[in-house]
């Protein structure tokens, strides 16, 4: 998961013609790391939403990276969840 967290800021730096490919790779990696292969498109949409936030001046990629780091730490500590993707979605939901 660390590879996704460290690569996420590259979405902002990627050439526009290569950005979609990078988002697809990152989305697939997230789905694989979280054991949620059927939700690859959702993870890609999550990354695109974070990119949109960046374009609008909000720290979307940084926020997503921070939440992913927290999920990874929780998993390493033995979190009892069945679906880490659902926990991620709940944490990213606006209050």
């Amino acid at each position: 998961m660390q590879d996704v967290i460290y690569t996420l800021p590259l979405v902002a730096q990627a050439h526009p013609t290569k950005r979609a490919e990078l988002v697809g790779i990152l989305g697939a990696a997230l789905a694989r790391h979280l054991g949620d292969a059927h939700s690859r498109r959702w993870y890609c949409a999550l990354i695109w939403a974070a990119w949109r936030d960046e374009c609008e001046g909000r720290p979307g990629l940084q926020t997503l990276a921070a939440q992913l780091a927290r999920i990874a730490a929780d998993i390493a500590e033995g979190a009892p969840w069945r679906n880490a993707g659902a926990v991620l979605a709940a944490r990213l939901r606006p209050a």
Side-chain angles (χ1 to χ4, degrees), residues 32-54:
R32 185 175 55 256
H33 287 305
L34 296 176
D36 199 10
H38 65 279
S39 297
R40 184 188 67 79
R41 290 181 64 187
W42 184 81
Y43 291 111
C44 290
L46 189 64
I47 296 167
W48 280 120
W51 166 244
R52 267 192 316 277
D53 285 349
E54 287 286 327

Side-chain angles (χ1 to χ4, degrees), residues 5 8 60-72 88 91-92:
I5 294 167
L8 205 51
L61 293 171
Q62 182 181 1
T63 301
L64 180 56
Q67 288 300 328
L68 291 174
R70 187 63 240 164
I71 291 285
L88 177 63
R91 288 181 179 178
L92 290 172

Side-chain angles (χ1 to χ4, degrees), residues 9-23 48 51:
L10 295 179
V11 171
Q13 300 169 4
H15 190 274
T17 62
K18 301 292 183 186
R19 191 169 289 129
E21 181 180 355
L22 179 59
V23 169
W48 280 120
W51 166 244

Side-chain angles (χ1 to χ4, degrees), residues 26 70 93:
L26 291 174
R70 187 63 240 164
R93 193 171 302 129

